Amino acid sequence: MLGMVISIISGILMSVQGVFNTQVTKQTSVWVSASFVQLTALIVCLAAWFFTGREGNFMGIAHVRPWYLLLGGTIGAFITYTVILGMEQLGPAKSVLFIIAAQLIAAYVIELFGWFGAQKAGFDWMKLAGVVVFIAGIVLFKWKELFS
């Protein structure tokens, strides 16, 4: 249950952050906005690490294997960039629909094949049906635009 609540909070925060970042971009530029987001995230993470007991060691980063797992920050920069552009062009609701659909499909494929160290899960028709229903929901949400 706690995981569900945390995930819901995460989704809400992502949507609010996307809107905030898009508004900052209108007054600056996409890369200035994205840079500021990443800088403030670094500051908050360092402060949280410092005040919560300093678990772990930054030298441990040098021992992470496989090396491509360290690309999370780079991917995060492009996530910030693409969310800003998506929200700017589609608006928050439509943009988030496509973002979540892509996340759901990508997460299911990663889980299905056990990529990147994720626990491998067997194929499940119900999960596939869930993806199809979600995509049908997108079509309904955009119905007027698709058929006008």
Side-chain angles (χ1 to χ4, degrees):
M1 181 67 151
L2 180 61
M4 289 172 39
V5 171
I6 290 170
S7 295
I8 289 168
I9 292 168
S10 176
I12 292 168
L13 290 174
M14 285 184 205
S15 294
V16 172
Q17 181 199 33
V19 173
F20 283 12
N21 295 349
T22 302
Q23 295 305 316
V24 172
T25 297
K26 289 178 181 178
Q27 298 177 47
T28 59
S29 74
V30 69
W31 288 115
V32 169
S33 176
S35 296
F36 182 77
V37 168
Q38 300 302 319
L39 176 63
T40 55
L42 171 65
I43 292 167
V44 169
C45 289
L46 288 174
W49 174 77
F50 186 79
F51 289 111
T52 60
R54 297 181 214 161
E55 181 182 335
N57 182 321
F58 281 99
M59 295 307 294
I61 294 292
H63 302 289
V64 171
R65 299 291 180 268
W67 65 268
Y68 63 77
L69 297 176
L70 296 173
L71 294 174
T74 304
I75 293 169
F78 286 103
I79 290 169
T80 302
Y81 175 76
T82 55
V83 168
I84 290 169
L85 291 182
M87 286 198 175
E88 191 174 65
Q89 293 180 13
L90 297 175
K94 291 177 197 162
S95 174
V96 169
L97 274 174
F98 287 104
I99 290 167
I100 293 172
Q103 284 181 320
L104 179 63
I105 293 165
Y108 183 54
V109 169
I110 289 168
E111 186 177 86
L112 194 60
F113 293 103
W115 290 344
F116 314 121
Q119 185 174 352
K120 190 173 182 177
F123 178 78
D124 184 344
W125 283 103
M126 291 301 287
K127 287 183 180 179
L128 181 61
V131 171
V132 170
V133 168
F134 189 88
I135 292 171
I138 291 172
V139 171
L140 288 174
F141 193 85
K142 291 189 58 66
W143 185 268
K144 184 177 179 182
E145 290 176 30
L146 291 173
F147 297 102
S148 58

